[in-house]
Amino acid sequence: GDSVTQMEGPVTLSEEAFLTINCTYTATGYPSLFWYVQYPGEGLQLLLKATKADDKGSNKGFEATYRKETTSFHLEKGSVQVSDSAVYFCALKDTGFQKLVFGTGTRLLVSP
Amino acid sequence: EAGVAQSPRYKIIEKRQSVAFWCNPISGHATLYWYQQILGQGPKLLIQFQNNGVVDDSQLPKDRFSAERLKGVDSTLKIQPAKLEDSAVYLCASSLETDTGELFFGEGSRLTVL
């Protein structure tokens, strides 16, 4: 079945460091890919998405590129801020299925 | 615009007791989802409603879990009787359209079963 694998956390960075959170997926069709973020005390919210191969999703300085050849959708940000501290979830939605499948989440901690 | 509302935020019960969670989705959102998030895991879909009807409940443990969405708006998720392994955060989400994968989540209801 469809699945998403994320790197384990926590990822601990200093402010202004470069961020990469790895995400790979397994799907039978041509899925759409998503990154959701959960800030402390808040619900999950959509950060960015990509619907087809080679698409790049971007939002709030974060980017992720849909790589079909490596079945990956890694999240990147050039310079993280303390306010980016949160849990990040990679997710996919396969064609023909309505279910959104989530990875286990990666906690990011950014220190000043 | 008001977000997805859930209550209660926290609930502690003993095993074999029952519990109910309530969700009010964003106005106009036809699709409503209940997810279970166990500590250290990603959210897992329990049930999805499209208006009043159930679209997917394949992962809902139907011997103890039930959910309804009356009049296509609010929804209630019930667990009876609860087990220790039901300790989790229960997330409600809604979406304007079914196929986009763009869900709006509430803050969740944290259940602890002792």
Side-chain angles (χ1 to χ4, degrees), chain A residues 77-89:
Chain A
K77 186 175 186 184
S79 175
V80 293
Q81 305 300 312
V82 172
S83 57
D84 294 326
S85 297
V87 181
Y88 293 82
F89 292 90

Side-chain angles (χ1 to χ4, degrees), chain A residues 34 36 49 89 98-99 103, chain B residues 37 42 55-56 100-103:
Chain A
F34 306 82
Y36 276 79
K49 71 172 188 177
F89 292 90
Q98 298 171 332
K99 186 186 304 182
Chain B
Q37 186 178 12
V55 173
D56 184 347
T100 64
E102 297 182 30
L103 277 57

Side-chain angles (χ1 to χ4, degrees), chain A residues 54-92:
Chain A
D54 300 325
D55 266 3
K56 178 185 285 188
S58 61
N59 186 23
K60 299 182 181 181
F62 290 88
E63 293 182 339
T65 301
Y66 188 163
R67 301 288 189 198
K68 190 171 186 296
E69 63 275 13
T70 55
T71 62
S72 64
F73 193 54
H74 304 322
L75 183 68
E76 297 182 335
K77 186 175 186 184
S79 175
V80 293
Q81 305 300 312
V82 172
S83 57
D84 294 326
S85 297
V87 181
Y88 293 82
F89 292 90
C90 186
L92 71 79

Side-chain angles (χ1 to χ4, degrees), chain A residues 4-76:
Chain A
V4 174
T5 302
Q6 291 183 235
M7 62 188 291
E8 288 197 21
V11 174
T12 304
L13 296 173
S14 298
E15 206 165 25
E16 298 184 3
F18 184 86
L19 167 71
T20 300
I21 300 178
N22 290 338
C23 171
T24 57
Y25 68 89
T26 301
T28 53
Y30 301 93
S32 295
L33 301 173
F34 306 82
W35 278 101
Y36 276 79
V37 59
Q38 187 172 30
Y39 297 104
E42 300 183 16
L44 277 81
Q45 55 186 273
L46 179 65
L47 180 61
L48 54 84
K49 71 172 188 177
T51 58
K52 61 183 187 295
D54 300 325
D55 266 3
K56 178 185 285 188
S58 61
N59 186 23
K60 299 182 181 181
F62 290 88
E63 293 182 339
T65 301
Y66 188 163
R67 301 288 189 198
K68 190 171 186 296
E69 63 275 13
T70 55
T71 62
S72 64
F73 193 54
H74 304 322
L75 183 68
E76 297 182 335

Side-chain angles (χ1 to χ4, degrees), chain B residues 20-98:
Chain B
F21 301 110
W22 172 83
C23 173
N24 184 264
I26 292 173
S27 177
H29 282 195
T31 308
L32 186 147
Y33 313 77
W34 283 102
Y35 280 83
Q36 179 192 56
Q37 186 178 12
I38 294 173
L39 187 64
Q41 300 181 20
K44 181 185 80 171
L45 180 69
L46 292 176
I47 189 167
Q48 178 182 339
F49 293 95
Q50 178 78 14
N51 295 310
N52 288 350
V54 175
V55 173
D56 184 347
D57 64 356
S58 57
Q59 297 190 94
L60 186 73
K62 298 180 184 65
D63 58 334
R64 297 183 300 106
F65 286 64
S66 64
E68 60 182 7
R69 189 181 185 196
L70 299 177
K71 301 181 181 178
V73 182
D74 293 9
S75 177
T76 302
L77 176 71
K78 296 180 181 178
I79 307 174
Q80 181 178 12
K83 291 185 175 181
L84 297 177
E85 59 261 35
D86 298 332
S87 294
V89 177
Y90 291 87
L91 302 169
C92 180
S94 68
S95 65
L96 188 58
E97 298 182 20
T98 302

